Amino acid sequence: MKKNMEKTNVMRILDQHKIQYVSYCYVDTGVTSGAEVAAVLHQDPAHVYKTLVTVANSGSNYVYLVPVLQELDLKKAARSVGEKSISMLKSKDLLALTGYIHGGCSPIGMKKQFKTVIDVSAKDFDTIIFSGGKIGYQVELPLDALQKIVPFGLADIVVSPA
């Protein structure tokens, strides 16, 4: 991992708010999946979260953070925000809506602040790791620090093991 990495917009926002964080850079590694990200960072995959953007039948958008090896349960996710149903936002619509591309989407610094829900499992960790806003970048910080710039709720939103 690089020590002299470029600052992403996410890191600049964290710096502006004087929020302590750890940053990781793994560009040029060919890593794409969440499991690969956790492996290259030498982290438990349960500690590394992916950012998912959805659209509800009402037309509202919502952001969810779930552990990289877990799957978002769309029914639980809809209930967590008081919607009847939601679906995943199409990749082609992500950049225009959030300012981020697939694989580099972060809950920090989106064009607009959407209602955000993090899987309740995040409470099991002192910090969580998630996208730094560009492919190949991750940031790690405590939930209470994240709450200062991204209001969020916690809910059970992952598919239950069979």
Side-chain angles (χ1 to χ4, degrees), residues 6-17 21:
E6 68 177 91
K7 289 263 183 183
T8 66
N9 193 41
V10 169
M11 294 171 200
R12 285 190 286 278
I13 291 168
L14 290 168
D15 290 345
Q16 284 168 357
H17 287 86
Y21 63 94

Side-chain angles (χ1 to χ4, degrees), residues 49-160:
Y49 285 69
K50 57 188 171 187
T51 306
L52 304 172
V53 182
T54 63
V55 61
N57 282 5
S58 67
S60 295
N61 294 99
Y62 299 97
V63 175
Y64 295 93
L65 271 74
V66 300
V68 294
L69 297 183
Q70 300 285 328
E71 203 177 312
L72 182 65
D73 182 315
L74 294 173
K75 285 189 169 73
K76 288 180 182 178
R79 274 197 305 274
S80 76
V81 293
E83 292 281 357
K84 286 196 187 327
S85 69
I86 61 168
S87 57
M88 295 304 299
L89 187 73
K90 290 180 175 38
S91 275
K92 67 179 178 62
D93 299 329
L94 192 63
L95 180 61
L97 182 72
T98 67
Y100 291 120
I101 61 168
H102 182 76
C105 190
S106 179
I108 299 171
M110 288 190 179
K111 287 181 174 181
K112 182 177 172 219
Q113 185 65 61
F114 299 106
K115 187 167 186 173
T116 302
V117 179
I118 301 175
D119 186 65
V120 70
S121 63
K123 288 191 323 193
D124 298 341
F125 300 101
D126 293 334
T127 61
I128 63 168
I129 300 170
F130 54 90
S131 176
K134 273 189 171 176
I135 293 174
Y137 293 87
Q138 298 280 312
V139 293
E140 177 178 4
L141 60 145
L143 284 178
D144 60 344
L146 178 59
Q147 185 84 53
K148 292 176 183 169
I149 49 174
V150 177
F152 63 83
L154 292 172
D156 172 13
I157 53 172
V158 297
V159 173
S160 301

